[in-house]
Amino acid sequence: MRRVAEWATTATLAFVVFLVLASFTGRWGVWAPEELLAGAIIALLVGLATGRLVWARGGWRLLQPHRWLLFLVYLVGPFLYAMTRANLDVAWRVITGRINPGIVRFNPGLRTDFGRTFLANSITLTPGTLTVDVDDGSGDFYVHWINVRDPSPTADAVCGPFPGWARRVAE
Amino acid sequence: MTGLIYAFLAIGAAFNALGAVALIRFPDVYTRIHGATKCTTFGSIFSILAVAVYGIAHGGGAGGTMAVRAFLALGFLLLTNPTGSHALARAAHRSGIKPFRAVVDRLEEAGHGPRTTDHGRRENG
Amino acid sequence: MIVALPFAAAGLAMLGFILVCMVRLSIGPTAADRAVALDTINTLVVATMVLLGAAFDLVVLLDVALVYALLSYVGTLYIARYLERGLA
């Protein structure tokens, strides 16, 4: 039962991505019937092949719609702001050449794969930090910090509000 | 609309240039990954957004297709770029490259440190 | 035929940035530096293709950009794996 649910949801997601990709290409309406048929078959194959991998460690909660809304709010709000600041920060460091780097460790307390991926990608794109390694067992993040202020910092000192967002959106 | 497109194109070109300069100017591989990933992702997002706005303003089937595919490309870049740079950073550390003038290196202390392979050594010099 | 000049100009500028990245690709000094430069060039090539797709009004170029983005990501992951532990 669980196996069927896994590949059915994966195939549905693949089909939705195909619908987005193929929109505006049909003769009638938005999609063409032959393309819909081909897309459905390929989505089914993709679901059968990858369903077990996608939901391997607790990703079911990502299917709740309020998380998608929160994700959009996150993208246009705190993420865009932090990314702009990150780029201006890099510009300033390129001009002045002033760096004080090091690799620090902290534990944000995330448990699922999706949450950790979300936080690692956010850390990489926000000011002064770059995820180098994540310990699979304990959930420790090893982060290359371009301006080390504290050799053993807390999660808040390195990446501010992002662990909270990761917990809300992806865990 | 036209003003928005010009603004997005200018921001995109400026930050892509910054990424290329950061790649040349920073002293070691980790700081280069910092500069290159952040700036080219940001710049490419704005370049692609300019194309999406152009497609929406164009309208019709062709413009709609252009906008949809531009947004898909944007999503892929946003997802794959940080992941790829994270993989490169971990590979660099495991192949034995030390961070330049690092004040602290917890990863090496934790024993995930460099394994001895030939790939991390300097090739010339 | 070029139908949107600003996009063509931006694409041309992008080619210039790719040349700058190629300096790092050729001087190294380590294999990881070259891999980073290659990854950056891949991102810039995707952006260039999207811009030129708008400049020449060819939606096909945007499809190529999508496929290039995904394949170059797989290539980067494979290079990283090779740097970690050889061809295994």
Side-chain angles (χ1 to χ4, degrees):
Chain A
M1 193 59 220
R2 183 185 162 82
R3 193 60 51 80
V4 174
E6 276 172 356
W7 70 252
T9 41
T10 314
T12 313
L13 284 178
F15 191 60
V16 169
V17 173
F18 169 78
L19 287 184
V20 173
L21 177 72
S23 53
F24 299 109
T25 54
R27 287 187 305 281
W28 52 268
V30 180
W31 293 286
E34 308 89 353
E35 289 193 0
L36 280 184
L37 186 66
I41 292 171
I42 293 172
L44 206 63
L45 290 178
V46 169
L48 283 172
T50 62
R52 286 183 58 198
L53 305 172
V54 174
W55 310 106
R57 259 200 273 173
W60 293 107
R61 281 190 222 161
L62 282 188
L63 294 176
Q64 297 165 350
H66 75 270
R67 288 174 190 271
W68 308 342
L69 198 68
L70 267 178
F71 181 60
L72 283 181
V73 170
Y74 169 74
L75 268 190
V76 298
F79 183 71
L80 191 66
Y81 171 68
M83 210 165 158
T84 316
R85 251 186 44 211
N87 280 277
L88 297 177
D89 180 69
V90 167
W92 188 75
R93 284 182 204 287
V94 164
I95 294 166
T96 60
R98 201 175 298 168
I99 56 173
N100 180 30
I103 296 179
V104 296
R105 174 181 57 195
F106 64 93
N107 194 333
L110 298 171
R111 291 180 315 280
T112 63
D113 281 354
F114 281 103
R116 285 174 186 169
T117 311
F118 185 93
L119 182 61
N121 282 5
S122 297
I123 284 176
T124 298
L125 290 177
T126 49
T129 46
L130 165 75
T131 314
V132 177
D133 207 347
V134 179
D135 193 316
D136 257 347
S138 62
D140 282 348
F141 275 58
Y142 295 90
V143 168
H144 184 270
W145 201 4
I146 207 165
N147 184 22
V148 177
R149 285 187 293 267
D150 176 7
S152 33
T154 58
D156 281 348
V158 181
C159 48
F162 292 119
W165 276 100
R167 209 163 290 129
R168 255 170 279 164
V169 174
E171 206 172 278
Chain B
M1 273 309 194
T2 322
L4 197 63
I5 291 174
Y6 279 125
F8 279 175
L9 280 178
I11 295 174
F15 280 102
N16 276 326
L18 185 64
V21 172
L23 195 65
I24 297 292
R25 195 168 140 68
F26 275 149
D28 76 332
V29 63
Y30 303 100
T31 43
R32 278 175 203 145
I33 295 175
H34 267 284
T37 305
K38 288 190 209 346
C39 294
T40 53
T41 308
F42 195 67
S44 302
I45 282 175
F46 274 95
S47 299
I48 293 174
L49 269 181
V51 175
V53 172
Y54 174 73
I56 291 170
H58 215 261
T65 318
M66 199 175 271
V68 164
R69 291 192 184 171
F71 274 119
L72 272 180
L74 201 157
F76 286 155
L77 274 188
L78 206 55
L79 191 67
T80 60
N81 241 346
T83 320
S85 68
H86 155 66
L88 281 175
R90 196 178 73 163
H93 199 278
R94 289 207 175 155
S95 68
I97 301 172
K98 300 239 185 324
F100 173 77
R101 279 201 331 221
V103 292
V104 60
D105 190 347
R106 297 280 181 214
L107 188 55
E108 195 169 346
E109 291 165 20
H112 294 253
R115 302 176 194 177
T116 47
T117 58
D118 290 333
H119 314 296
R121 286 190 201 140
R122 291 171 73 90
E123 289 165 12
N124 38 14
Chain C
M1 199 188 83
I2 295 177
V3 295
L5 201 58
F7 291 100
L12 207 63
M14 227 57 102
L15 289 179
F17 307 150
I18 290 175
L19 285 179
V20 175
C21 292
M22 277 185 178
V23 173
R24 178 54 72 194
L25 188 70
S26 55
I27 64 179
T30 64
D33 287 301
R34 295 172 208 268
V36 173
L38 187 66
D39 189 40
T40 311
I41 289 176
N42 284 333
T43 312
L44 291 178
V45 165
V46 172
T48 312
M49 279 186 190
V50 173
L51 286 172
L52 291 185
F56 291 100
D57 204 14
L58 287 175
V59 177
V60 177
L61 278 182
L62 272 79
D63 291 336
V64 178
L66 279 176
V67 176
Y68 188 92
L70 291 177
L71 285 184
S72 72
Y73 168 62
V74 176
T76 303
L77 287 189
Y78 197 79
I79 292 173
R81 202 185 161 86
Y82 168 70
L83 289 174
E84 261 180 45
R85 53 189 164 191
L87 282 174

